[in-house]
Amino acid sequence: AQTVTQSQPEMSVQEAETVTLSCTYDTSESDYYLFWYKQPPSRQMILVIRQEAYKQQNATENRFSVNFQKAAKSFSLKISDSQLGDAAMYFCAYRRNSGGYQKVTFGIGTKLQVIP
Amino acid sequence: DGGITQSPKYLFRKEGQNVTLSCEQNLNHDAMYWYRQDPGQGLRLIYYSQIVNDFQKGDIAEGYSVSREKKESFPLTVTSAQKNPTAFYLCASSHISANRGSNNSPLHFGNGTRLTVT
């Protein structure tokens, strides 16, 4: 069964600094997607970034980038130039992409605090 | 605008009553999902459906039921058998494809329903 582990319940970062959130996963599949979602206090889930497992190049979206290590089953999120609006819960998620049933599994989340 | 609508935003019920949470999408997505969110436990999958008239149990299906009679709708019933029903419930949808590089879409979420059972 696929599992997603986020080992940092809470993190804090100074405004304008860089922070990295960790995520590891367990799967026997070779073809899958990984996602990072942000959930601000409004509780709306917002997609931050996604990575396709067959692509070696790490995904980037403006200030957000990932470090995808397929062999280590690691998928960390780096937030550069942190802003106050980045304060939120961040969830890592996994989805297989090889046909059949494709349930999406989430980690328990990391609460990010941004200090002015 | 296309999106996912969950209603109501807040729902209150007495213990022992069944309650149905609504989820409608106009994104023409094949797959729909129900998650439960509790503090410190992330999002846990209750049920999901990839095609009309078919659905699969997630990790915590006990005490819940769903139907998928239309592509656009995926209502969740919280039955009296669910021991701890008070929670925040999120519905989501996505395209689905087995093709590599098909831009398999991520989940799009509704705004959630906060259910309180007393």
Side-chain angles (χ1 to χ4, degrees):
Chain A
Q2 60 213 33
T3 58
V4 177
T5 302
Q6 293 180 251
S7 59
Q8 305 154 314
E10 295 189 24
M11 293 280 287
S12 62
V13 61
Q14 206 76 28
E15 194 175 4
E17 296 297 309
T18 295
V19 65
T20 298
L21 308 184
S22 300
C23 173
T24 59
Y25 57 95
D26 187 23
T27 182
S28 58
E29 304 282 345
S30 60
D31 196 2
Y32 51 87
Y33 285 83
L34 296 163
F35 306 94
W36 277 99
Y37 282 87
K38 168 185 177 181
Q39 187 182 45
S42 67
R43 306 197 83 169
Q44 177 65 48
M45 294 288 285
I46 302 165
L47 177 69
V48 175
I49 199 165
R50 63 178 153 185
Q51 175 79 43
E52 294 156 317
Y54 72 92
K55 290 186 176 179
Q56 293 186 342
Q57 186 173 7
N58 289 325
T60 61
E61 288 287 344
N62 300 313
R63 298 182 295 108
F64 299 88
S65 62
V66 298
N67 183 6
F68 173 49
Q69 301 290 328
K70 191 172 184 179
K73 296 180 182 176
S74 172
F75 183 60
S76 61
L77 174 70
K78 185 172 83 171
I79 306 174
S80 304
D81 186 25
S82 297
Q83 301 175 359
L84 294 178
D86 295 334
M89 285 290 293
Y90 286 82
F91 294 98
C92 180
Y94 165 98
R95 175 188 203 161
R96 64 190 286 253
N97 189 41
S98 50
Y101 294 112
Q102 299 183 12
K103 75 176 193 177
V104 182
T105 301
F106 285 79
I108 65 171
T110 296
K111 184 176 182 179
L112 178 66
Q113 179 186 21
V114 180
I115 304 166
Chain B
D1 287 338
I4 301 177
T5 301
Q6 287 188 246
S7 60
K9 187 173 182 178
Y10 299 98
L11 192 53
F12 298 89
R13 280 294 183 272
K14 293 291 187 184
E15 193 173 330
Q17 294 179 333
N18 291 354
V19 59
T20 297
L21 281 59
S22 170
C23 179
E24 303 278 334
Q25 55 100 358
N26 60 5
L27 300 167
N28 198 33
H29 283 166
D30 302 301
M32 296 187 74
Y33 304 79
W34 274 106
Y35 289 90
R36 169 180 172 143
Q37 186 175 16
D38 298 282
Q41 297 197 54
L43 277 67
R44 293 183 291 166
L45 182 64
I46 304 172
Y47 270 99
Y48 65 110
S49 168
Q50 296 187 175
I51 194 169
V52 172
N53 293 323
D54 183 63
F55 46 82
Q56 300 299 312
K57 291 182 179 180
D59 301 313
I60 55 164
E62 185 175 350
Y64 299 96
S65 65
V66 293
S67 62
R68 187 87 186 277
E69 297 177 1
K70 299 186 300 181
K71 188 175 184 178
E72 303 79 19
S73 179
F74 192 42
L76 173 74
T77 297
V78 185
T79 75
S80 56
Q82 168 51 231
K83 295 178 182 178
N84 296 295
T86 293
F88 185 65
Y89 291 87
L90 281 162
C91 179
S93 71
S94 76
H95 282 302
I96 195 158
S97 170
N99 298 324
R100 173 179 282 189
S102 63
N103 198 29
N104 204 356
S105 83
L107 299 186
H108 296 253
F109 284 87
N111 289 329
T113 293
R114 172 69 185 177
L115 173 64
T116 302
V117 177
T118 58

